[in-house]
């Protein structure tokens, strides 16, 4: 059995490690590229959201690489995500390939540990539990790596970029708790700031795939760091797993904070987006960047709440919706203008946060 799943930013490494712990042979699709997206766009319904198209492209490329079993997260989330796996399987069948499609229901840890994984890989539930524990530890490591990288890049861009590939190789090879601990220590040393401090800090909020995946958001964290801005974030695999295990206290906080702007949950991650933005403002970020796919209804509703929040708190907001036509030149121009605004506010002594 050759197992594949779509890319999910740096967290792909943690998911790959988990499947290998289950004894699977993982066929990682080639890194997401323009071609991946074009394939997805070609075989997807025209108006479906971008994460669908990109992950469909990943599956097509994985099948080309010889994968025969495709794993896809499945769940309700009161938005189109609930239909992703049905539609993707259908679109892939049109290609005439022979494969097994396995939707991974996200909302029952019990089902995952006692039925789905043992049934799929012939392993014991105890082994799945050990694997999940390691997955949590490794996804916490990838989150910490992303944080360290964002901070270091904002003060010494070239050096951080130079260190990135060796750090990723270390992440990939960390398989045990001891190795994960050693890599965390080593990353702290490699990405030390040596007394320097980023000039500006912005909070990144939005739809999970777009906040996590570097191809989808056109490396927005790197581009902001190039301009001397540290990007802080909450969305990552680690917090998502904690959410599924019902131990994500950050989510409970976000939900509570968001209530003053959104009385009802409009689906997707709108409550989380709004709550995280409030949390970042309380933690004195200089600005907010909101990223989401063009046709995402929940994030378009969150946008309205974010605009009110930004006005009330006096914290600048840059909202960016993406589709397959979004040009990187246009994106960079908007980021530069936003950072210029933040700099002017800073030098005028109007530092945000209250
Ligand atoms: S949150 Fe938005 S982009 Fe993501 S699946 Fe739902 S509708 Fe699509």
């Amino acid at each position: 059995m050759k197992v594949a799943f779509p890319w999910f930013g740096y967290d792909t490494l943690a998911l790959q490690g988990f499947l290998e712990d289950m004894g699977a042979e993982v066929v990682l699709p080639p890194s997401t590229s323009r071609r991946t997206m074009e394939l997805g766009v070609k075989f997807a319904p025209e108006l479906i959201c971008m994460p669908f198209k990109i992950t469909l492209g990943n599956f097509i490329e994985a099948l080309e690489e010889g994968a025969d079993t495709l794993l896809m997260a499945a769940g309700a989330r009161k938005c189109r995500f609930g239909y992703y796996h049905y539609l993707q399987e259908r679109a892939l069948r049109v290609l005439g390939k022979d494969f097994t499609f396995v939707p991974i229901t996200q909302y029952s840890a019990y089902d995952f540990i006692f039925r789905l994984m043992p049934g799929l890989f012939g392993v014991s539930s105890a082994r799945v539990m050990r694997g999940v524990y390691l997955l949590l530890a490794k996804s916490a490591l990838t989150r910490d790596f992303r944080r360290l990288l964002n901070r270091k890049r904002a003060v010494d861009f070239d050096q951080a970029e130079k260190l990135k590939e060796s750090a990723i190789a270390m992440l990939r090879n960390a398989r045990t708790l001891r190795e994960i601990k050693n890599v965390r220590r080593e990353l702290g040393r490699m990405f030390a700031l040596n007394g320097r401090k980023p000039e500006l800090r912005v909070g990144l909020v939005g739809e999970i795939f777009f906040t996590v995946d570097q191809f989808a958001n056109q490396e927005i964290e790197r581009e902001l760091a190039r301009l001397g801005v540290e990007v802080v974030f909450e969305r990552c695999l680690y917090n998502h797993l904690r959410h599924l295990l019902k131990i994500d206290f950050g989510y409970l906080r976000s939900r509570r904070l968001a209530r003053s702007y959104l009385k009802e949950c409009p689906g997707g991650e709108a409550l989380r987006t709004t709550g995280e933005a409030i949390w970042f403002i309380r933690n004195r970020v200089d600005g907010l960047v909101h990223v989401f796919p063009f046709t995402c209804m929940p994030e378009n509703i969150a946008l309205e709440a974010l605009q009110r929040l930004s006005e009330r708190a006096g914290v600048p907001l840059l909202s960016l919706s993406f589709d397959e036509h979004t040009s990187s030149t246009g994106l960079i121009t908007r980021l530069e203008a936003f950072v210029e605004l933040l700099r002017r506010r800073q030098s005028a002594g109007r530092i945000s946060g209250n």
Side-chain angles (χ1 to χ4, degrees):
M1 186 195 299
K2 294 183 173 177
V3 178
F5 63 95
W7 277 85
F8 195 57
Y10 298 122
D11 288 323
T12 307
L13 299 173
L15 293 166
Q16 180 181 7
F18 170 76
L19 290 171
E20 286 172 353
D21 281 348
M22 295 299 101
E25 183 184 344
V26 177
V27 177
L28 210 53
S31 301
T32 309
S33 64
R34 195 82 216 158
R35 177 178 186 266
T36 315
M37 192 161 71
E38 281 165 7
L39 285 169
V41 168
K42 188 169 170 191
F43 294 102
E46 190 186 346
L47 290 178
I48 195 118
C49 20
M50 282 286 289
F52 181 98
K53 294 175 181 172
I54 296 173
T55 52
L56 179 64
N58 284 148
F59 281 139
I60 295 172
E61 293 191 316
L63 291 171
E64 289 172 354
E65 295 288 314
D68 55 28
T69 304
L70 307 179
L71 308 186
M72 181 65 194
R77 282 211 316 206
K78 293 193 208 157
C79 71
R80 279 175 279 192
F81 184 70
Y83 303 109
Y84 269 29
H85 63 284
Y86 298 115
L87 294 175
Q88 285 184 327
E89 181 173 5
R90 222 194 256 187
L92 292 167
R93 296 275 171 225
V94 171
L95 299 176
K97 305 252 186 194
D98 191 22
F99 62 90
T100 306
F101 197 87
V102 186
I104 308 287
T105 312
Q106 293 190 78
Y107 299 107
S108 171
Y110 183 88
D111 189 59
F112 182 84
I113 291 168
F114 291 98
R115 188 193 64 81
L116 195 57
M117 290 296 111
L120 195 57
F121 298 115
V123 293
S124 67
S125 296
R127 184 159 161 192
V128 181
M129 279 192 260
R130 263 199 314 276
V132 169
Y133 188 67
L134 271 176
L135 173 61
L136 273 169
K138 191 149 171 180
S139 57
L141 181 66
T142 52
R143 174 203 58 185
D144 294 348
F145 160 67
R146 206 175 131 206
R147 283 182 176 159
L148 289 167
L149 179 65
N150 284 357
R151 202 173 306 162
K152 179 77 176 176
R153 281 199 289 210
V155 299
D156 189 347
F157 185 82
D158 293 339
Q159 177 68 2
E161 282 295 297
K162 214 186 286 170
L163 293 170
K164 190 175 83 178
E165 287 314 315
S166 41
I168 289 175
M170 286 162 57
L171 286 175
R172 183 171 283 119
N173 295 331
R175 300 204 168 268
T176 62
L177 283 179
R178 181 186 289 270
E179 286 167 355
I180 289 170
K181 199 170 152 201
N182 290 342
V183 170
R184 177 172 282 109
R185 193 178 318 118
E186 183 60 15
L187 291 179
R189 194 191 58 74
M190 285 164 72
F191 290 92
L193 297 190
N194 303 320
R196 296 173 69 185
K197 209 171 155 242
E199 294 164 20
L200 292 164
R201 215 159 53 99
V202 300
L204 181 69
V205 294
E207 194 266 350
I208 185 166
F209 188 74
F210 268 73
T211 48
V212 165
D213 191 82
Q214 289 76 37
F215 176 86
N217 63 34
Q218 301 195 9
E219 285 275 13
I220 198 163
E221 293 175 0
R222 187 183 66 194
E223 295 311 322
L224 281 162
R226 202 194 291 279
L227 300 169
V229 180
E230 178 193 357
V231 177
V232 293
F233 61 88
E234 286 282 311
R235 308 310 316 273
C236 58
L237 178 65
Y238 177 66
N239 283 343
H240 185 63
L241 292 171
R242 286 172 59 96
H243 177 58
L244 299 181
L245 293 169
K246 313 235 181 307
I247 50 171
D248 182 8
F249 306 113
Y251 171 68
L252 299 179
R253 181 189 62 216
S254 292
R255 210 174 54 177
R256 178 174 47 78
L257 290 174
R259 288 287 176 214
S260 47
Y261 287 86
L262 289 172
K263 296 273 174 270
E264 303 284 335
C265 174
E269 295 145 325
L271 280 183
R272 194 188 266 269
T273 293
T274 310
E276 282 174 6
I278 297 169
W279 177 247
F280 286 141
I281 288 175
R282 288 190 180 178
N283 283 281
R284 307 186 73 79
V285 290
D286 299 287
L288 293 169
V289 176
H290 176 216
V291 290
F292 61 100
F294 177 60
T295 58
C296 175
M297 188 272 288
E299 290 299 324
N300 274 292
I301 294 174
L303 169 59
E304 203 266 329
L306 292 183
Q307 284 167 337
R308 277 186 289 136
L309 170 66
S310 157
E311 216 175 290
R312 213 178 276 178
V315 176
L317 165 72
L318 177 66
S319 203
L320 298 163
S321 73
F322 292 77
D323 67 11
E324 55 267 38
H325 307 297
T326 305
S327 93
S328 60
T329 319
L331 176 71
I332 289 169
T333 307
R334 291 190 68 188
L335 293 178
E336 284 171 350
F338 183 64
V339 172
E340 183 55 30
L341 168 78
L342 299 184
R343 276 193 211 295
R344 284 191 193 182
R345 283 170 56 89
Q346 194 179 52
S347 51
R350 294 198 304 270
I351 300 174
S352 59
N354 296 312

